[in-house]
Coordinates of all heavy atoms in Angstrom, one line a residue:
K455 N 34.6 -24.6 0.3 CA 34.8 -23.8 -0.8 C 34.6 -22.3 -0.4 O 33.8 -22.0 0.4 CB 33.8 -24.1 -1.9 CG 34.1 -25.5 -2.6 CD 33.2 -25.7 -3.7 CE 33.4 -27.0 -4.4 NZ 32.5 -27.3 -5.5
R466 N 20.1 -0.2 10.6 CA 19.0 -1.0 10.9 C 18.0 -0.2 11.6 O 18.3 0.8 12.3 CB 19.4 -2.2 11.7 CG 20.3 -3.1 10.9 CD 20.4 -4.5 11.5 NE 21.3 -5.4 10.7 CZ 20.9 -6.2 9.8 NH1 19.6 -6.2 9.4 NH2 21.7 -6.9 9.1
Y467 N 16.7 -0.5 11.5 CA 15.6 0.3 12.1 C 14.7 -0.6 12.9 O 14.6 -1.8 12.6 CB 14.8 0.9 11.0 CG 15.6 1.9 10.1 CD1 16.3 1.4 9.0 CD2 15.8 3.2 10.4 CE1 17.1 2.3 8.2 CE2 16.5 4.1 9.7 CZ 17.2 3.6 8.6 OH 17.9 4.4 7.8
V476 N 2.1 -2.5 16.9 CA 2.5 -2.7 15.5 C 1.6 -3.8 14.9 O 1.1 -3.7 13.8 CB 4.0 -3.0 15.3 CG1 4.3 -3.4 13.9 CG2 4.8 -1.7 15.6
A484 N -4.6 -4.7 7.3 CA -5.0 -5.8 6.5 C -6.5 -5.9 6.3 O -6.9 -6.1 5.2 CB -4.5 -7.1 7.2
L500 N -19.5 -3.7 -11.7 CA -20.8 -2.9 -11.9 C -20.9 -2.5 -13.4 O -20.0 -2.3 -14.1 CB -20.8 -1.6 -11.1 CG -21.1 -1.8 -9.6 CD1 -20.9 -0.5 -8.9 CD2 -22.5 -2.4 -9.4
Q507 N -18.4 7.5 -17.8 CA -17.8 8.9 -17.9 C -16.3 8.7 -17.6 O -15.9 8.1 -16.6 CB -18.4 9.8 -16.8 CG -19.9 9.9 -16.9 CD -20.4 10.5 -18.3 OE1 -19.8 11.3 -18.8 NE2 -21.5 9.9 -18.8
Y509 N -14.1 10.8 -16.6 CA -13.6 11.4 -15.4 C -14.0 10.7 -14.1 O -13.7 11.1 -13.0 CB -14.0 12.9 -15.3 CG -15.5 13.2 -15.6 CD1 -16.4 13.1 -14.6 CD2 -15.9 13.5 -16.9 CE1 -17.8 13.3 -14.8 CE2 -17.3 13.7 -17.1 CZ -18.2 13.7 -16.1 OH -19.5 13.9 -16.4
G522 N -2.5 -2.3 -5.2 CA -1.5 -3.4 -5.3 C -0.3 -3.1 -4.4 O 0.1 -4.0 -3.6
A568 N -18.4 11.4 -10.1 CA -19.7 10.7 -10.2 C -20.8 11.6 -9.7 O -21.9 11.6 -10.3 CB -19.7 9.4 -9.3
G569 N -20.5 12.4 -8.7 CA -21.5 13.4 -8.2 C -21.8 14.4 -9.3 O -23.0 14.8 -9.5
A573 N -25.4 15.0 -11.1 CA -26.0 16.4 -11.0 C -26.2 17.0 -12.4 O -27.2 17.7 -12.6 CB -25.0 17.3 -10.2
L576 N -25.9 13.3 -16.6 CA -25.2 12.5 -17.6 C -25.3 11.0 -17.2 O -24.9 10.2 -18.1 CB -23.7 13.0 -17.6 CG -23.5 14.4 -18.0 CD1 -22.0 14.7 -17.9 CD2 -23.9 14.6 -19.5
I593 N -13.7 2.8 -0.2 CA -12.3 2.9 -0.4 C -11.8 4.2 0.2 O -10.7 4.3 0.8 CB -12.0 2.9 -1.9 CG1 -12.4 1.5 -2.5 CG2 -10.5 3.2 -2.2 CD1 -12.3 1.5 -4.0
F594 N -12.5 5.3 0.0 CA -12.1 6.6 0.5 C -12.0 6.6 2.0 O -11.0 7.1 2.6 CB -13.1 7.7 0.0 CG -12.8 9.1 0.4 CD1 -11.8 9.8 -0.2 CD2 -13.4 9.7 1.5 CE1 -11.5 11.1 0.1 CE2 -13.1 11.0 1.9 CZ -12.1 11.7 1.2

Side-chain angles (χ1 to χ4, degrees):
K455 292 184 180 180
R466 296 199 181 266
Y467 299 89
V476 171
L500 283 176
Q507 305 299 322
Y509 49 86
L576 298 175
I593 295 172
F594 182 79

